[in-house]
Amino acid sequence: MKIIKQNILDFEKLYRAAFVNSLSGFKSANLIGTISLKGKINLAIFSSVIHVGANPPLMGFLMRPVSVERHTYTNIKEINHFTINHINKEIFKQAHQTSARYERNISEFEACQLTPEYTETIKAPYVKESKIKVGLKFLEEQKIKSNGTMFIIGEIQEIILPDDATLTDGYVDIEKAGTIAISGLDSYHETKRISRLSYAKPGIKPKEI
Amino acid sequence: MKIIKQNILDFEKLYRAAFVNSLSGFKSANLIGTISLKGKINLAIFSSVIHVGANPPLMGFLMRPVSVERHTYTNIKEINHFTINHINKEIFKQAHQTSARYERNISEFEACQLTPEYTETIKAPYVKESKIKVGLKFLEEQKIKSNGTMFIIGEIQEIILPDDATLTDGYVDIEKAGTIAISGLDSYHETKRISRLSYAKPGIKPKEI
């Protein structure tokens, strides 16, 4: 069937949000940890984290407009550091619960039963229960004019991951580490590898590696 | 184990690309279809497509710097339309093969054995073999200063999807439609739903829905 733009505009608000959020495909499942100047820690689930570049090593994510106070945004701008923590099957319910509208003086770590963990390099809390964690320095923000969302870019400062997660060619087996995926606003998915494929060249069929 | 920024900078180039590309979590798997002013069609795999907003309905994706000629970018700027087509298990090898460096006068549709399909609304080819397809109008581009990549934003004009894909609350069951996920540069994954969770509210545990 075909849905056109006017159909979407006519949808009821929550129906529209669920529908359009499903259209981009599977999404990354991460918790972003931050701390305020006053030392209050914050944790929030994001499904918009993407790879931005390898050299320098950059990651980015999209935030909704900051007209409503966004604790994650405020903290990143105050402290310049944040952490990205992969969500796994053991913690997806706690991770989902961080999306509830807690007051700024409430720590989602405590409210959602997740454990903050620190390193000397990053002034922001990691999630102890996460298996793959990245500490970043805020670099840049780009405002999307069309709807006021912000694309936030950070430079990777350190990565904490299982000893056996990285394969000989640099690929990190995030499936083996238990990382899950999101679709829409609220659906959580385990994965099963179909295969890895060799570097594509014109005229040569890709091989399973 | 811990990897620090200097380790990443010291990695061999391909190892570094594989490593850093794995850190954001699972990625969407899409083919972007475009056409040039001269009528040459192009198809390219992207793992960076994300949801940008529901009202207006927006999607975005990140492109590498345009110093190297990027056919997708050039075509979008010439024609203002593009299509986003979900990759499923039946076509993931052909989809991967579109990443080979074909000359501009070669159609990846033909070279990779995928079928172009058109509607009256969008001046760009869809992928017939894809089950969920979105036609967009180019709206805006934001250059990431840190590495010269471009974040491209389009407004959804139409969606073609299976009759039974959309559930009663607007959520589209992309897993049932066969959409797959990517990790790193070259790993393709099927998914298995763990569960959907109810809208999170402070003090109330999320329920499976």
Side-chain angles (χ1 to χ4, degrees):
Chain A
M1 66 183 293
K2 188 186 289 193
I3 308 272
I4 64 166
K5 181 184 159 193
Q6 191 57 48
N7 299 140
I8 300 177
L9 299 177
D10 291 342
F11 284 160
E12 181 275 326
K13 191 183 167 189
L14 293 178
Y15 186 100
R16 178 170 56 224
F19 181 79
V20 183
N21 263 283
S22 304
L23 299 178
S24 57
F26 286 99
K27 309 174 184 192
S28 55
N30 288 290
L31 286 160
I32 295 188
T34 56
I35 190 165
S36 73
L37 265 182
K38 288 181 176 165
K40 292 279 181 195
I41 58 176
N42 190 275
L43 190 66
I45 188 168
F46 281 87
S47 62
S48 61
V49 173
I50 56 174
H51 169 80
V52 173
N55 189 14
L58 307 177
M59 291 167 78
F61 67 101
L62 201 70
M63 296 202 79
R64 283 184 278 178
V66 291
S67 52
V68 185
E69 195 197 20
R70 296 280 160 197
H71 307 155
T72 300
Y73 181 79
T74 312
N75 291 350
I76 290 175
K77 297 303 290 280
E78 282 182 6
I79 300 289
N80 270 318
H81 278 182
F82 60 104
T83 71
I84 292 178
N85 307 268
H86 285 209
I87 297 171
N88 55 55
K89 198 179 170 181
E90 284 68 46
I91 59 169
F92 83 101
K93 285 186 182 174
Q94 293 103 299
H96 183 79
Q97 185 61 18
T98 65
S99 64
R101 290 176 181 273
Y102 292 103
E103 300 291 329
R104 195 171 182 196
N105 64 341
I106 302 278
S107 158
E108 288 83 3
F109 281 98
E110 201 174 321
C112 306
Q113 295 169 291
L114 291 164
T115 316
E117 183 178 65
Y118 299 89
T119 67
E120 286 185 4
T121 309
I122 296 294
K123 284 175 290 180
Y126 288 102
V127 177
K128 188 174 185 207
E129 291 82 359
S130 172
K131 306 247 173 62
I132 298 179
K133 320 171 213 208
V134 186
L136 302 102
K137 185 173 75 178
F138 170 71
L139 264 198
E140 172 181 354
E141 61 185 340
Q142 294 293 341
K143 188 171 185 171
I144 309 304
K145 278 178 275 168
S146 309
N147 69 350
T149 52
M150 282 283 190
F151 192 61
I152 309 282
I153 293 121
E155 186 187 52
I156 298 174
Q157 304 299 304
E158 64 179 10
I159 302 117
I160 301 158
L161 76 178
D163 288 350
D164 61 352
T166 311
L167 307 192
T168 52
D169 63 353
Y171 171 74
V172 181
D173 193 340
I174 65 172
E175 178 171 287
K176 192 174 158 202
T179 301
I180 61 172
I182 292 176
S183 71
L185 289 166
D186 53 25
S187 186
Y188 296 85
H189 305 256
E190 307 177 79
T191 65
K192 183 169 158 262
R193 178 169 294 109
I194 306 167
S195 78
R196 292 184 67 196
L197 294 178
S198 57
Y199 188 82
K201 290 177 184 169
I204 300 171
K205 284 203 173 177
K207 277 190 305 207
E208 302 200 359
I209 56 174
Chain B
M1 66 184 292
K2 188 185 288 192
I3 308 273
I4 63 166
K5 180 184 159 191
Q6 191 57 50
N7 299 140
I8 299 177
L9 298 177
D10 292 342
F11 284 159
E12 182 273 327
K13 190 184 167 188
L14 293 177
Y15 186 100
R16 179 171 55 225
F19 181 78
V20 183
N21 263 283
S22 305
L23 299 177
S24 57
F26 286 100
K27 309 174 185 191
S28 55
N30 288 291
L31 285 162
I32 295 187
T34 56
I35 190 166
S36 72
L37 264 182
K38 288 182 176 166
K40 292 280 179 196
I41 58 176
N42 190 274
L43 190 66
I45 186 168
F46 280 86
S47 62
S48 61
V49 173
I50 56 174
H51 169 81
V52 173
N55 188 14
L58 306 176
M59 293 168 78
F61 67 100
L62 202 69
M63 294 203 79
R64 283 186 276 177
V66 290
S67 52
V68 185
E69 195 197 22
R70 296 280 161 197
H71 306 157
T72 300
Y73 181 78
T74 312
N75 290 350
I76 290 175
K77 296 306 287 284
E78 281 182 5
I79 301 289
N80 270 319
H81 279 182
F82 58 105
T83 70
I84 293 178
N85 307 269
H86 285 210
I87 297 170
N88 55 55
K89 198 179 170 181
E90 284 68 45
I91 59 168
F92 83 101
K93 286 186 181 174
Q94 293 103 301
H96 183 79
Q97 185 63 18
T98 65
S99 64
R101 290 176 181 274
Y102 292 102
E103 301 292 328
R104 196 173 182 197
N105 65 341
I106 303 277
S107 158
E108 289 83 3
F109 280 98
E110 201 174 324
C112 304
Q113 295 170 291
L114 291 164
T115 316
E117 183 178 67
Y118 299 88
T119 66
E120 286 186 4
T121 309
I122 297 295
K123 284 176 290 182
Y126 287 102
V127 177
K128 186 172 187 211
E129 292 82 357
S130 172
K131 305 246 174 61
I132 298 179
K133 321 172 209 203
V134 186
L136 302 102
K137 185 174 75 178
F138 170 71
L139 263 197
E140 171 181 354
E141 62 186 339
Q142 293 294 340
K143 187 171 185 170
I144 310 304
K145 279 178 274 169
S146 308
N147 70 351
T149 51
M150 283 283 189
F151 192 61
I152 309 283
I153 293 121
E155 186 188 51
I156 299 173
Q157 304 299 307
E158 64 179 9
I159 302 118
I160 301 158
L161 76 179
D163 287 349
D164 61 352
T166 311
L167 307 192
T168 52
D169 64 352
Y171 171 75
V172 181
D173 193 340
I174 64 172
E175 178 171 287
K176 193 176 159 201
T179 301
I180 62 173
I182 293 176
S183 72
L185 288 166
D186 53 25
S187 187
Y188 296 85
H189 306 256
E190 306 177 79
T191 66
K192 182 167 157 267
R193 179 169 293 108
I194 306 167
S195 77
R196 292 184 66 195
L197 295 178
S198 57
Y199 189 81
K201 290 178 183 169
I204 300 171
K205 285 204 173 177
K207 278 189 304 203
E208 303 200 359
I209 56 175

Coordinates of all heavy atoms in Angstrom, one line a residue, chain B residues 24 26 31 34 72 75 83 88 93 99 117 136-137 145 152 154 156 184:
Chain B
S24 N 29.2 2.4 17.3 CA 27.9 3.1 17.5 C 26.7 2.1 17.8 O 25.6 2.5 18.1 CB 27.6 3.9 16.3 OG 27.5 3.1 15.1
F26 N 24.1 -1.2 16.4 CA 23.6 -1.7 15.1 C 23.1 -0.5 14.3 O 22.7 0.6 14.9 CB 22.4 -2.7 15.4 CG 23.0 -4.0 15.8 CD1 23.0 -4.4 17.1 CD2 23.5 -4.8 14.9 CE1 23.6 -5.6 17.5 CE2 24.1 -6.1 15.2 CZ 24.1 -6.4 16.6
L31 N 19.2 1.2 1.0 CA 19.7 1.5 -0.3 C 19.1 2.9 -0.7 O 17.9 3.0 -0.6 CB 19.3 0.5 -1.4 CG 20.1 -0.8 -1.3 CD1 19.3 -1.9 -2.0 CD2 21.5 -0.7 -1.9
T34 N 18.8 7.3 -6.7 CA 18.8 8.7 -7.2 C 18.9 8.6 -8.7 O 19.2 7.6 -9.3 CB 20.0 9.5 -6.7 OG1 21.2 8.9 -7.0 CG2 19.9 9.8 -5.2
T72 N 25.6 9.9 -5.5 CA 24.3 10.1 -4.7 C 24.1 11.5 -4.4 O 23.1 12.1 -4.6 CB 24.3 9.2 -3.4 OG1 24.4 7.9 -3.8 CG2 23.0 9.5 -2.6
N75 N 23.5 13.8 -7.5 CA 22.1 13.5 -8.1 C 21.1 14.2 -7.2 O 20.1 14.8 -7.7 CB 21.8 12.0 -8.2 CG 22.6 11.4 -9.3 OD1 23.3 12.1 -10.1 ND2 22.6 10.1 -9.3
T83 N 15.2 8.2 -2.9 CA 14.5 7.1 -2.3 C 15.3 6.4 -1.2 O 16.5 6.2 -1.4 CB 13.9 6.1 -3.3 OG1 15.0 5.3 -3.8 CG2 13.2 6.7 -4.4
N88 N 16.6 -6.3 2.8 CA 16.1 -7.5 3.5 C 17.1 -8.6 3.1 O 18.1 -8.5 2.4 CB 14.7 -7.8 3.1 CG 14.5 -7.9 1.6 OD1 15.2 -8.7 0.9 ND2 13.6 -7.1 1.0
K93 N 23.3 -9.3 -0.4 CA 24.5 -9.4 -1.2 C 24.5 -8.4 -2.3 O 25.6 -7.7 -2.5 CB 24.7 -10.8 -1.7 CG 25.1 -11.8 -0.6 CD 25.5 -13.2 -1.1 CE 25.8 -14.1 0.1 NZ 26.1 -15.5 -0.4
S99 N 28.3 -1.0 -3.1 CA 29.4 -0.2 -2.5 C 30.7 -0.2 -3.3 O 31.7 0.5 -3.0 CB 29.7 -0.6 -1.0 OG 30.2 -1.9 -1.0
E117 N 12.2 0.9 -10.0 CA 10.7 1.0 -10.0 C 10.4 2.4 -9.7 O 11.0 3.1 -8.9 CB 10.2 0.1 -8.9 CG 8.7 -0.1 -8.8 CD 8.3 -1.0 -7.6 OE1 8.6 -0.7 -6.4 OE2 7.8 -2.1 -7.9
L136 N 11.6 10.7 -0.8 CA 11.8 12.0 -0.1 C 12.2 13.1 -1.0 O 12.7 12.9 -2.1 CB 13.0 11.8 0.9 CG 12.8 10.7 2.0 CD1 13.6 9.5 1.6 CD2 13.2 11.2 3.3
K137 N 11.9 14.3 -0.5 CA 12.4 15.6 -1.2 C 13.5 16.1 -0.4 O 13.4 16.2 0.9 CB 11.2 16.5 -1.2 CG 11.4 17.8 -2.0 CD 10.2 18.7 -2.1 CE 9.9 19.3 -0.7 NZ 8.7 20.2 -0.8
K145 N 31.8 20.1 10.6 CA 33.1 20.8 10.4 C 34.2 19.9 10.8 O 35.3 20.0 10.1 CB 33.1 22.0 11.3 CG 32.4 23.2 10.7 CD 32.4 24.5 11.6 CE 31.2 24.4 12.6 NZ 31.3 25.4 13.7
I152 N 22.5 15.0 5.4 CA 21.5 15.3 4.4 C 20.1 15.0 5.0 O 19.9 13.9 5.5 CB 21.7 14.4 3.2 CG1 23.1 14.5 2.7 CG2 20.7 14.8 2.1 CD1 23.5 15.7 1.9
G154 N 15.9 14.9 4.3 CA 14.8 14.9 3.3 C 13.5 14.9 4.0 O 13.3 14.4 5.1
I156 N 9.7 13.3 3.9 CA 9.0 12.1 3.3 C 7.8 12.6 2.5 O 7.0 13.4 3.0 CB 8.5 11.2 4.5 CG1 9.8 10.7 5.3 CG2 7.7 10.0 3.9 CD1 9.4 9.9 6.5
G184 N 29.3 -2.6 12.0 CA 30.6 -2.4 11.4 C 30.5 -2.0 10.0 O 29.5 -1.4 9.6

